Amino acid sequence: MVSRVIPVDSFDLVIFGGTGDLARRKILPGLFRRFCAGQMPPEAQIVGAARTEMDDAGFRDMVRAAIDEFGGGAEDPGQLDSFLERVGYVAVDAKGDGGWKALKDRLRDDCVRAFYFSVGPALFGDLAERLRAFGLATETSRIVVEKPFGHDLESARALNRELAQYFDETQIYRIDHYLGKETVQNLMAVRFGNVLFEPLWNAQFVDHIQITVAETVGVGGRGGYYDDSGAMRDMVQNHLMQLLCLIAMEPPAQFEPDSVRDEKLKVIRALDPVEPHHIVRGQYGADEKQPGYRAHVENERSRTESFVALKAHVSNWRWAGTPFYLRTGKMLRARTSEIAVVFKDAPHSIFGAEAGRHNNVLAIRLQPNEGMTLDVTIKEPGPGGMRLVDVPLDMTFADALGPDGANVPDAYERLVMDVIRGNQTLFMRGDEVEAAWAWTDPMIDGWEARGDVPKPYDPGSSGPEDALMLLHRDGRRWRDIKA
Ligand code: NAD
């Protein structure tokens, strides 16, 4: 199956923080892959903008090195040279006046204009203000804002208010790169493009839902930032929340930005407050290879969680009584992200007790090997009577779609192209972000007020024992964390 590439309109894209880690690892290599795929018009222009003094040639060398390291390189070396001709650089100070006039002079009037804020959140307001003050922002310009979007409800509201002084909501693209993943969009296609699932997608037929985002790495070089936020702020408030919304939302009337985002918002607003005994926080300890979390963040008294598991309820007609179990953590057994919809047992087994209990599970894998499996109960082959086994119907995209499907675009590639197209469906709206904070803030305030200390867990494990108990108490078990 060959995927169709529809070229976007001509654009000027300015990447503030163009010399930073995110730009080098994701944004620039992603743009290069879109260029190779023929999606970028030849006259499109990418301008790196950051504090470092550098000329176009210096930036192009940096971009070439980034693409070699993170972009898989070019099949045809000429392609990289042609791409680099589209790339330039202007030194700009987000907090000062330097460079803004030169940047303005670089931009064209007759094309889409987008500004990617790939800088720390403290600079978002400064950039927005200066884009207006120096006349770079036009009525159709877009800004792309990276995470974290606020630290709590109050700071997110303040940031929304600040950006709203300079840009209309239709011009603001708040990135959650989970929404750019192929499988996440496929989740909507599976739900709303087939008649098979939607009739069963409710409390009557679904026993519970599990959402797991597990990492094998620790906090790495982000210790200071991470210790200030923790797993709830860094992962649950945004990524896991977005996945929960797409699983739980009602069918939107159209696949259009506000239709989809209205439905997601309703889910967040229908979430019950989470009881403290339905939350488990963990912090990884040391092993023979490396020190533990507290040493990584250089804070021997840290009470920040590197793992969190919780049981949530969406109180609406569709989901009343169906638990949503969420967990995410660092230094776990395997790197995997998965949503599992666990259906109820058949109401009556005609095969007798020895056939065992069986239920269908639809597992949606975000990584590794993006794809889906549906566990179906069949007869165990052979002459041994009617014994039942669960067998996965496997739809790994790389297998199902052939060599082209294996080349699934990275989330950032797709999202940047959506910005140019002016499609906000896969971006978070301001009220959505605020509603998500309004749900997570009381949990965080609660454990801070109680002085809760996260439970220790071993690196390479599935998290603290208490997280296993969270499901065990309900007569359920987590799916294995495996690659
Ligand atoms: P970084 O520290 O590597 O880069 C920051 C960039 O901002 C640099 O290019 C620097 O020159 C520029 N900058 C700093 N101060 C400036 C100023 N006053 N004026 C102009 N430019 C200035 O950071 P990063 O890891 O690339 O992250 C950028 C943003 O993306 C952050 O908001 C981060 O939270 C978010 N993010 C990063 C990742 C990642 O994988 N790195 C993932 C998700 C979100």
Side-chain angles (χ1 to χ4, degrees):
M1 200 181 298
V2 176
S3 57
R4 270 182 308 151
V5 173
I6 302 166
V8 295
D9 290 341
S10 185
F11 64 86
D12 283 352
L13 171 68
V14 177
I15 308 173
F16 292 108
T19 59
D21 178 68
L22 182 67
R24 286 185 295 115
R25 275 192 316 112
K26 293 286 182 187
I27 307 170
L28 290 159
L31 283 163
F32 174 58
R33 282 192 292 270
R34 291 297 91 208
F35 178 81
C36 294
Q39 199 162 15
M40 257 173 74
E43 66 287 356
Q45 185 184 203
I46 297 156
V47 184
R51 232 176 357 182
T52 319
E53 286 299 334
M54 202 189 282
D55 59 10
D56 286 343
F59 188 61
R60 285 178 187 148
D61 287 346
M62 198 213 78
V63 177
R64 184 188 292 278
I67 288 170
D68 282 343
E69 189 174 353
F70 303 112
E75 272 171 35
D76 163 10
Q79 269 183 322
L80 184 50
D81 291 333
S82 316
F83 175 73
L84 291 174
E85 281 169 24
R86 321 290 350 134
V87 174
Y89 182 83
V90 178
V92 167
D93 182 5
K95 284 187 166 298
D97 294 345
W100 288 94
K101 168 127 193 358
L103 182 57
K104 186 177 181 201
D105 292 344
R106 283 279 177 116
L107 303 181
R108 298 169 296 158
D109 288 325
D110 52 350
C111 66
V112 174
R113 207 176 260 198
F115 302 97
Y116 197 128
F117 294 6
S118 180
V119 295
L123 297 179
F124 294 167
D126 295 305
L127 289 175
E129 183 188 345
R130 282 168 178 73
L131 284 173
R132 279 279 174 219
F134 289 91
L136 281 80
T138 59
E139 286 321 301
T140 56
S141 296
R142 289 120 218 215
I143 58 169
V144 185
V145 186
E146 260 300 333
K147 84 166 213 192
F149 198 89
H151 187 71
D152 52 18
L153 176 58
E154 198 186 323
S155 54
R157 268 195 189 134
L159 189 49
N160 273 334
R161 269 198 304 269
E162 193 172 16
L163 295 180
Q165 286 177 42
Y166 310 107
F167 292 93
D168 186 74
E169 182 62 34
T170 56
Q171 299 176 281
I172 304 173
Y173 290 70
R174 295 175 194 78
I175 270 213
D176 185 321
H177 71 272
Y178 269 54
L179 290 178
K181 288 180 183 286
E182 183 74 14
T183 327
V184 172
Q185 291 162 69
N186 224 329
L187 174 59
M188 288 189 271
V190 164
R191 276 194 66 187
F192 306 128
N194 296 286
V195 292
L196 278 183
F197 297 105
E198 206 44 32
L200 306 179
W201 210 264
N202 56 51
Q204 197 189 340
F205 293 102
V206 174
D207 179 70
H208 71 279
I209 285 165
Q210 299 186 15
I211 302 178
T212 298
V213 177
E215 298 176 277
T216 49
V217 293
V219 295
R222 300 164 69 219
Y225 156 76
Y226 195 89
D227 202 37
D228 239 12
S229 44
M232 181 67 98
R233 288 190 170 100
D234 192 47
M235 299 296 291
V236 177
Q237 185 274 344
N238 39 65
H239 304 319
L240 277 81
M241 174 66 83
Q242 291 297 322
L243 301 181
L244 187 156
C245 285
L246 296 178
I247 282 281
M249 72 181 184
E250 296 300 314
Q254 293 101 19
F255 189 59
E256 279 179 2
D258 279 332
S259 293
V260 173
R261 298 187 303 175
D262 286 346
E263 295 306 335
K264 282 163 55 194
L265 181 61
K266 286 186 209 163
V267 173
I268 307 176
R269 291 194 172 148
L271 279 165
D272 286 345
V274 181
E275 306 276 340
H277 65 282
H278 289 160
I279 308 170
V280 178
R281 298 165 71 230
Q283 202 181 63
Y284 62 82
D287 63 10
E288 59 286 351
K289 284 186 257 143
Q290 54 191 333
Y293 175 85
R294 290 181 174 184
H296 278 160
V297 300
E298 297 175 5
N299 177 4
E300 274 312 310
R301 300 164 70 86
S302 171
R303 289 180 170 183
T304 303
E305 76 287 356
S306 60
F307 174 98
V308 66
L310 59 88
K311 175 159 93 165
H313 281 282
V314 180
S315 271
N316 62 14
W317 193 276
R318 185 188 285 261
W319 294 116
T322 309
F324 287 71
Y325 298 101
L326 275 52
R327 72 177 159 171
T328 180
K330 294 193 172 291
M331 284 286 200
L332 295 176
R333 176 169 298 149
R335 176 171 176 262
T336 175
S337 300
E338 183 194 79
I339 305 166
V341 181
V342 181
F343 291 92
K344 289 188 174 167
D345 293 355
H348 165 69
S349 170
I350 63 168
F351 304 109
E354 71 272 22
R357 291 179 59 183
H358 296 272
N359 52 1
N360 303 118
V361 178
L362 177 68
I364 300 134
R365 272 191 323 274
L366 278 66
Q367 63 188 20
N369 312 326
E370 288 199 50
M372 299 191 194
T373 54
L374 177 64
D375 286 355
V376 179
T377 304
I378 60 163
K379 177 189 168 298
E380 194 178 287
M386 193 52 127
R387 283 201 298 270
L388 303 183
V389 283
D390 294 331
V391 180
L393 289 178
D394 197 332
M395 201 186 84
T396 303
F397 294 148
D399 299 340
L401 304 180
D404 208 48
N407 211 359
V408 175
D410 178 80
Y412 279 94
E413 292 176 42
R414 178 192 317 272
L415 293 174
V416 174
M417 289 298 109
D418 277 359
V419 172
I420 305 301
R421 283 195 205 97
N423 184 346
Q424 289 184 304
T425 310
L426 300 175
F427 296 84
M428 295 177 296
R429 210 168 53 193
D431 50 3
E432 248 184 278
V433 179
E434 290 184 17
W437 281 119
W439 183 67
T440 48
D441 270 6
M443 290 189 255
I444 298 169
D445 294 347
W447 71 56
E448 283 179 357
R450 290 190 302 273
D452 279 358
V453 180
K455 305 275 188 258
Y457 63 93
D458 291 333
S461 70
S462 303
E465 190 69 21
D466 289 28
L468 304 181
M469 290 308 294
L470 183 70
L471 269 74
H472 196 70
R473 279 201 301 268
D474 295 346
R476 302 183 174 104
R477 56 188 295 270
W478 288 106
R479 287 165 59 83
D480 289 342
I481 294 182
K482 58 179 187 219

